[in-house]
Amino acid sequence: MRSVRKRWTICTISILLIFYKTKEIARTEEHQEAQPSGDGDSSLSRSMVNNSDKINQKSGSSVFQHSVERWKINSSLVLEIRKNILRFLDAERDISVVKSSFKPGDVIHYVLDRRRTLNISQDLHSLLPEVSPMKNRRFKMCAVVGNSGILLDSGCGKEIDSHEFVIRCNLAPVVEFAADVGTKSDFITMNPSVVQRAFGGFRNESDREKFVHRLSMLNDSVLWIPAFMVKGGEKHVEWVNALILKNKLKVRTAYPSLRLIHAVRGASPEL
């Protein structure tokens, strides 16, 4: 179980980093060339410094604050990383499979457990997007918000919400911590294991209501569920899908393509 969770965590973080880099850095070459020094730091670097300063003021960590103030974006390295990523990854296409990819009853192999298979249910198929939720979407300022607790007492909520696109991890609560983490949510990851860890495996009505309430706060956000990785989480995915359909929630679902997971693992896609 620990091994499975570790792989989930590694893959999710890797995917977020790839998605963040390819979307947030896209089309920045001219901007970077036009600002070679001094004020040439991007709005992203200023945002990171400002956010870190707020945290440091609370924690009193002068050593870390000093290092942050000297932090600069290595523009040439950023572009090199982006080009290497885009050689084998299309974030817009691979962020989610689409409805035309499968039909109900299709059998596919799990990415990390090729001996096991998954049947595409009617509920799952009905929630697949018609087109990629990221199709033709570009953003100048994105924020990736984790749920480790480092933002507690930071007062960064308003600054996070000022970004064009906000990515959050594993359906973390936001309303209770709005002053520190903000409330804007455009893209939210949700590993199937969250159902068990945060919502009691839906053992009773209270757990289900809590989950539905959490999703209802997302409105038109994209809920990103890695459904095709390993055997064991399929029942949780089906429970989530059933609740979304039953309660007619406005959240948009997305399921990462098998090609994306292969790319993150550094393996060649077999599909």
Side-chain angles (χ1 to χ4, degrees):
M1 180 60 71
R2 290 183 178 176
S3 176
V4 170
R5 288 182 177 176
K6 181 177 180 181
R7 287 185 293 180
W8 275 104
T9 302
I10 292 173
C11 285
T12 299
I13 293 174
S14 300
I15 292 165
L16 282 172
L17 287 173
I18 290 172
F19 176 74
Y20 177 62
K21 287 296 183 185
T22 56
K23 293 295 179 182
E24 197 274 337
I25 304 171
R27 300 177 181 177
T28 61
E29 289 88 344
E30 294 182 0
H31 177 72
Q32 291 162 345
E33 290 175 359
Q35 299 178 332
S37 63
D39 293 336
D41 295 338
S42 71
S43 57
L44 171 63
S45 65
R46 289 194 297 271
S47 175
M48 293 181 70
V49 170
N50 291 340
N51 286 350
S52 298
D53 285 346
K54 291 178 180 178
I55 296 171
N56 291 327
Q57 289 168 6
K58 295 288 184 178
S59 64
S61 177
S62 59
V63 175
F64 182 67
Q65 183 175 3
H66 178 68
S67 65
V68 169
E69 288 174 346
R70 299 175 57 187
W71 185 89
K72 303 292 183 183
I73 285 181
N74 185 334
S75 300
S76 59
L77 180 59
V78 167
L79 293 177
E80 180 181 349
I81 292 173
R82 176 174 179 265
K83 289 177 181 178
N84 287 335
I85 289 173
L86 294 179
R87 284 192 306 163
F88 61 89
L89 178 67
D90 183 339
E92 180 177 290
R93 183 185 69 179
D94 295 331
I95 202 66
S96 179
V97 296
V98 295
K99 200 177 292 290
S100 60
S101 303
F102 303 113
K103 62 180 182 297
D106 280 354
V107 177
I108 63 173
H109 290 271
Y110 285 98
V111 175
L112 301 180
D113 191 356
R114 300 292 296 172
R115 296 171 298 175
R116 306 291 186 91
T117 59
L118 168 72
N119 292 338
I120 302 298
S121 67
Q122 182 65 51
D123 282 354
L124 175 56
H125 186 263
S126 68
L127 289 173
L128 294 178
E130 295 285 352
V131 298
S132 169
M134 295 295 108
K135 185 175 178 61
N136 297 325
R137 303 191 70 185
R138 296 291 186 272
F139 311 96
K140 293 182 179 180
M141 283 182 59
C142 299
V144 180
V145 186
N147 52 2
S148 67
I150 192 173
L151 288 174
L152 288 177
D153 298 323
S154 68
C156 291
K158 289 184 178 180
E159 187 163 2
I160 290 172
D161 285 348
S162 70
H163 289 70
E164 292 179 74
F165 195 79
V166 179
I167 303 169
R168 299 185 186 273
C169 302
N170 267 343
L171 206 59
V174 295
V175 175
E176 304 93 317
F177 310 101
D180 298 323
V181 304
T183 58
K184 180 179 174 63
S185 299
D186 299 291
F187 191 95
I188 303 93
T189 71
M190 196 208 81
N191 289 339
S193 60
V194 169
V195 171
Q196 187 66 44
R197 291 188 287 106
F199 300 97
F202 296 161
R203 285 190 297 268
N204 53 56
E205 187 62 27
S206 177
D207 292 331
R208 292 188 288 272
E209 289 179 354
K210 178 182 176 183
F211 180 79
V212 170
H213 177 70
R214 181 76 59 83
L215 290 191
S216 68
M217 306 297 291
L218 302 180
N219 295 319
D220 198 36
S221 304
V222 175
L223 180 64
W224 191 78
I225 309 174
F228 313 125
M229 292 185 65
V230 292
K231 185 76 173 177
E234 64 280 354
K235 65 179 180 180
H236 294 147
V237 173
E238 287 302 318
W239 292 346
V240 169
N241 292 343
L243 285 174
I244 291 173
L245 292 171
K246 178 182 177 181
N247 292 276
K248 299 180 180 179
L249 299 175
K250 294 181 180 180
V251 64
R252 294 182 293 157
T253 49
Y255 306 83
S257 75
L258 279 66
R259 181 181 180 277
L260 174 61
I261 307 300
H262 280 296
V264 171
R265 295 178 66 216
S268 300
E270 301 178 24
L271 302 177

